Amino acid sequence: MDKLRIGVIGLGWFGEIHCDTIIGLPNLELAALCTRTEDRLSALADKFGVAKRYQDYNDMLADPDIDAVSICTMWDQHTEPAIAALKAGKHVFLEKPIASTVEDAKKIVAAAKGAKGILFIGHIVRFNPRYRAAKQAIEAGRIGKIVAMSSRRNIPAAWTPTILNKIGPIVGDAIHDTDIMLWLTQDRIVSAYAQTVDVRGLKNPDIGQTMFRFAGGATATLETVWCMPEKTPFDIDERMSIIGTEGIIHIQDTFPNLGIVDADRLHSPDITYWPMFEGVRGGALRDEFAYFTNCALTGTTPTVGRPEDAAAALEATLAAEESARTGNVIRL
């Protein structure tokens, strides 16, 4: 098989971005779409020229001509379609977070063991070239033993009112940096302490500040602010510092990699994760899908995006949220 026929389950804003990305990869075919919202299904199926349209993912999974699925439902709706897809023998690209509870994450991890298809968890930051370069430098021993890390992942308030009624900033965004820190250290988190700030009175707080302790002794602080002023001229303020016994690595993305000044203001759009070029998505999301597709077509078990790693990041961030609620240090 030289082309993977994939269906997308969940057609919110990021499900559509997945579709944009899939159509630009030569060994991927966007073969089916699924959402319960009929109007949205028709609109996107027409946009992408997809004939197979489903409102029940079980009907999609019963189709023998579908080789793989991308699951972009809300995080608390991952478990049932992911397990069903694995049982149906499909390859599964599951967006992060892997699940909304540790128990559900364990169920998904268990379902992947012995499954015919592969399970890949979409922790996209691992495909950002800056973090990949940092990983190479650390593996080469260039900074010695990691002793401290810090990260910032802040976004404008305009992005987040709808999101904050579904997920908070620690599990929603700091999970990216949590996963990267686990990846870079090859260690485990043993304790979490966090505080949150409620600015706009939404279901979840706007700000999360987290501190982790690692088994090897390193410590980390993670800042996640989902209420930067709406006129902030960049989509994300993303940074990470990794301090070792023999060196330091500093990562900065996405601002100010590109600045565009027009009649309104300075803009610094994303050029790393899913920029649009000539009608299709590029960047880290394209690289992520290319990796998933290659693993599926060659029968290779992914070494990046492993469900066990995603479950560890989820457990740590959920512990941080519990800490913020209780005021206690949570031991893992």
Side-chain angles (χ1 to χ4, degrees), residues 245-280:
T245 54
E246 299 174 32
I248 298 171
I249 295 173
H250 182 70
I251 299 164
Q252 182 163 306
D253 208 1
T254 303
F255 177 79
N257 287 341
L258 173 66
I260 300 172
V261 179
D262 60 19
D264 296 325
R265 60 182 175 89
L266 167 67
H267 305 262
S268 184
D270 166 50
I271 57 170
T272 298
Y273 287 112
W274 48 82
M276 180 76 83
F277 298 119
E278 299 177 348
V280 297

Side-chain angles (χ1 to χ4, degrees), residues 8 26 53 55 95 115 146 150 166 182 193 200 205 214 218 225 234 248 285 289 297 323:
V8 177
R53 311 173 181 195
Q55 288 184 270
E95 262 304 334
I146 295 173
S150 63
K166 299 174 182 177
L182 289 166
Y193 176 72
R200 289 175 288 177
F214 289 77
V225 176
F234 45 88
I248 298 171
L285 187 59
F289 263 104
L297 290 175
S323 172

Side-chain angles (χ1 to χ4, degrees), residues 310-325:
L314 176 71
E315 183 178 16
T317 50
L318 288 176
E321 287 199 339
E322 182 183 352
S323 172
R325 286 191 299 270

Side-chain angles (χ1 to χ4, degrees), residues 86-105:
L86 290 165
K87 286 182 177 178
K90 311 299 184 185
H91 302 291
V92 179
F93 184 122
L94 178 61
E95 262 304 334
K96 70 85 195 169
I98 184 173
S100 60
T101 68
V102 172
E103 181 183 2
D104 281 348

Side-chain angles (χ1 to χ4, degrees), residues 125-126 131 176-185 240:
V125 180
R126 292 193 183 204
Y131 294 91
H176 283 300
D177 300 301
T178 304
D179 175 67
I180 288 296
M181 290 172 177
L182 289 166
W183 187 47
L184 296 179
T185 60
M240 182 177 287

Side-chain angles (χ1 to χ4, degrees), residues 168-171 174 191-198 203-212 222 224 315-332:
I170 295 175
V171 175
S191 69
Y193 176 72
Q195 297 184 86
T196 55
V197 180
D198 183 2
K203 183 177 179 181
N204 289 291
D206 301 78
I207 298 169
Q209 303 275 3
T210 303
M211 178 173 282
F212 290 132
L222 301 83
T224 319
E315 183 178 16
T317 50
L318 288 176
E321 287 199 339
E322 182 183 352
S323 172
R325 286 191 299 270
T326 63
N328 299 322
V329 174
I330 305 300
R331 309 288 178 184
L332 283 81

Side-chain angles (χ1 to χ4, degrees), residues 36-325:
R36 290 171 293 190
T37 307
E38 187 174 358
D39 292 347
R40 178 69 169 169
L41 179 61
S42 295
L44 289 191
D46 290 347
K47 174 184 175 180
F48 294 109
V50 177
K52 293 185 176 184
R53 311 173 181 195
Y54 299 96
Q55 288 184 270
D56 186 332
Y57 65 78
N58 290 297
D59 294 333
M60 177 190 284
L61 298 178
D63 186 341
D65 292 330
I66 302 300
D67 306 307
V69 293
S70 163
I71 300 175
C72 293
T73 57
M74 281 305 302
W75 70 313
D76 58 353
Q77 299 168 25
H78 281 180
T79 309
E80 291 183 3
I83 292 174
L86 290 165
K87 286 182 177 178
K90 311 299 184 185
H91 302 291
V92 179
F93 184 122
L94 178 61
E95 262 304 334
K96 70 85 195 169
I98 184 173
S100 60
T101 68
V102 172
E103 181 183 2
D104 281 348
K106 289 178 178 178
K107 290 178 182 177
I108 294 171
V109 170
K113 296 185 186 301
K116 179 181 177 182
I118 65 168
L119 172 61
F120 172 86
I121 311 301
H123 274 281
I124 191 173
V125 180
R126 292 193 183 204
F127 291 85
N128 181 322
R130 279 156 280 282
Y131 294 91
R132 291 174 69 182
K135 174 73 167 171
Q136 285 185 344
I138 291 165
E139 288 180 339
R142 294 176 63 185
I143 67 167
K145 180 183 177 182
I146 295 173
V147 293
M149 293 171 286
S150 63
S151 67
R152 173 184 294 177
R153 188 171 298 272
N154 300 339
I155 55 180
W159 279 40
T160 55
T162 300
I163 302 171
L164 278 170
N165 283 319
K166 299 174 182 177
I167 195 170
I170 295 175
V171 175
D173 242 6
I175 195 170
H176 283 300
D177 300 301
T178 304
D179 175 67
I180 288 296
M181 290 172 177
L182 289 166
W183 187 47
L184 296 179
T185 60
Q186 292 295 292
D187 201 352
R188 61 186 180 87
I189 293 168
V190 295
S191 69
Y193 176 72
Q195 297 184 86
T196 55
V197 180
D198 183 2
V199 177
R200 289 175 288 177
L202 300 170
K203 183 177 179 181
N204 289 291
D206 301 78
I207 298 169
Q209 303 275 3
T210 303
M211 178 173 282
F212 290 132
R213 171 74 70 178
F214 289 77
T219 189
T221 58
L222 301 83
E223 174 182 300
T224 319
V225 176
W226 277 11
C227 58
M228 287 196 300
E230 294 194 9
K231 292 186 178 181
T232 300
F234 45 88
D235 291 337
I236 189 168
D237 182 6
E238 176 184 349
R239 312 178 195 189
M240 182 177 287
S241 292
I242 306 114
I243 301 174
T245 54
E246 299 174 32
I248 298 171
I249 295 173
H250 182 70
I251 299 164
Q252 182 163 306
D253 208 1
T254 303
F255 177 79
N257 287 341
L258 173 66
I260 300 172
V261 179
D262 60 19
D264 296 325
R265 60 182 175 89
L266 167 67
H267 305 262
S268 184
D270 166 50
I271 57 170
T272 298
Y273 287 112
W274 48 82
M276 180 76 83
F277 298 119
E278 299 177 348
V280 297
R281 298 285 176 179
L285 187 59
R286 178 186 174 89
D287 291 344
E288 190 177 32
F289 263 104
Y291 176 82
F292 166 76
T293 304
N294 182 66
C295 287
L297 290 175
T298 60
T300 304
T301 301
T303 57
V304 180
R306 300 187 321 142
E308 296 86 355
D309 296 341
L314 176 71
E315 183 178 16
T317 50
L318 288 176
E321 287 199 339
E322 182 183 352
S323 172
R325 286 191 299 270

